[in-house]
Amino acid sequence: MEHSLLDYYKAIENASQKMLEAAQTENWDQIVHLEGTCAVLIAQLRHKSRSVALAPDERKEKTRIMHRILRADAEIRVLAEPWLSDLEQLMDAKSVH
């Protein structure tokens, strides 16, 4: 089945939303898994975009999708900050011993 460029953006958005849901429940393993999924989708999108262009109305939809992805990413970062801070403190404590 041939996927359109927008299909890839929508799939990345879907994975991004699932990452946000995982962050809200502190399921960091799921986030790591979904980051891998996003990396594959992004690579596929880059490859496909070399030979296919978006129509003007598709570019508008892409912009809306990208804004939603960026909002989800920002929310994930806010939720991850305490976890990242705890990890940093743990790493600092281990390097002292």
Side-chain angles (χ1 to χ4, degrees):
M1 179 178 161
E2 185 71 18
H3 294 285
S4 75
L5 283 180
L6 275 181
D7 290 337
Y8 289 103
Y9 285 106
K10 290 174 184 177
I12 294 165
E13 178 186 18
N14 183 45
S16 176
Q17 187 58 44
K18 288 181 181 178
M19 287 173 65
L20 176 56
E21 291 165 9
Q24 290 168 335
T25 61
E26 299 183 6
N27 187 346
W28 308 116
D29 291 336
Q30 179 69 4
I31 291 173
V32 170
H33 171 75
L34 290 165
E35 283 177 332
T37 300
C38 281
V40 170
L41 289 167
I42 290 167
Q44 291 171 337
L45 172 65
R46 283 185 179 143
H47 177 74
K48 177 106 177 162
S49 67
R50 290 184 189 127
S51 60
V52 178
L54 292 172
D57 60 323
E58 291 176 319
R59 285 195 297 268
K60 289 179 184 177
E61 179 63 16
K62 171 196 164 191
T63 299
R64 287 189 287 269
I65 291 169
M66 292 301 297
H67 281 111
R68 290 189 297 263
I69 291 169
L70 291 171
R71 276 195 299 274
D73 183 64
E75 289 181 51
I76 292 165
R77 289 179 189 278
V78 167
L79 293 167
E81 284 295 324
W83 179 81
L84 291 172
S85 179
D86 292 346
L87 178 62
E88 186 177 301
Q89 289 176 0
L90 179 64
M91 298 301 285
D92 287 345
K94 287 189 177 207
S95 67
V96 171
H97 295 348

